[in-house]
Every structure is written in structure tokens, then in C-alpha cells.
Amino acid sequence: MEIITGRITADAKIKTLKDKRELVAFSIAINRIFTSQGEQKKETTYYNCSYWVSIKVASILTKGSIVQLFGHTGINAYKDMSGDFQAHLTFHTNAIQVLSSSKNGEQQVMSTPDHKKDDLPF
């Protein structure tokens, strides 16, 4: 299991597939700050995330919130309609912990019920 932490880039959306299954779709940005040749630089990596366990979590996944996600990384590569290859990182989320909510500037900590501390290797 992998753990990533980032900021939600837009409010989460509930998507319904052709077979009527539902998922919560959202994206996060992870900033990496580093120094190169004495100059501080920032690099941002974006992940398209999916959460299949419960759509109820969508209401707390709002733009600007900081979340910690538990799951695994993947890549979605495809050829677009003009024949160009495209790719983006995905994160298949098993559990979510909201570290900071963007609503009203309040600091909140919320977890999905699926994350068990007993699963941690330390």
C-alpha cells in the first residue's frame, strides 16, 4: 500500500458507470520544493484519484482540502482522437484521511472507516 498527501484541485464528483456502479472522482496536486544551482524551485505532480468504497465521502472532498490517501498508483495511457499519446497518473484510493478542510478555514481531521491503524507496518 502506498500513502500520498496532497491538496484537492476541485470538488470531488460522483460518477456512475454504464453498469450502474458509482465512484468518487477527484484530483490532487503534490508539490515538491527543491534547490537547484542555489535557486529554490517547485515542481507539482497531479494525480487523478478514484474512491469506490462509498460515495458519501464526496461531500468532504472539497477544493483546497489537504488529504492523505492510502492505495496504489497507476498510469492511464491512451491515444487521443488526433492520434497523440496522452498519459496521466492515477491513484486508486482505499482509504482517505482529510488533514485540513477548506470549508470556513477550519482545521478538521476526518477519516474514512476503511483505514485501520493495525494495517500499518510500524
Side-chain angles (χ1 to χ4, degrees):
M1 179 181 305
E2 299 170 52
I3 302 171
I4 61 174
T5 303
R7 187 174 298 274
I8 296 178
T9 62
D11 290 352
K13 298 189 182 322
I14 298 170
K15 292 190 176 185
T16 303
L17 304 179
K18 291 178 185 176
D19 63 2
K20 307 293 185 219
R21 290 183 301 154
E22 294 180 311
L23 69 113
V24 177
F26 59 101
S27 62
I28 66 166
I30 299 174
N31 293 321
R32 182 175 78 94
I33 299 172
F34 61 96
T35 303
S36 175
Q37 299 176 351
E39 185 179 330
Q40 188 171 347
K41 297 185 178 191
K42 181 169 94 171
E43 178 181 273
T44 304
T45 303
Y46 296 92
Y47 287 83
N48 291 327
C49 304
S50 59
Y51 183 71
W52 294 80
V53 178
S54 171
I55 61 170
K56 293 178 182 177
V57 74
S59 64
I60 64 169
L61 299 178
T62 56
K63 181 178 180 176
S65 296
I66 298 173
V67 293
Q68 189 167 59
L69 307 176
F70 304 82
H72 65 277
T73 303
I75 189 162
N76 186 10
Y78 57 94
K79 197 183 272 192
D80 65 17
M81 297 186 107
S82 61
D84 296 327
F85 284 100
Q86 302 290 327
H88 60 266
L89 291 171
T90 61
F91 197 80
H92 305 282
T93 308
N94 298 327
I96 302 168
Q97 183 173 13
V98 178
L99 302 176
S100 174
S101 175
S102 66
K103 295 205 180 220
N104 303 325
E106 297 173 8
Q107 296 289 320
Q108 299 178 2
V109 176
M110 296 175 251
S111 294
T112 59
D114 308 352
H115 176 64
K116 298 176 185 155
K117 294 185 187 229
D118 298 350
D119 292 342
L120 297 176
F122 48 87

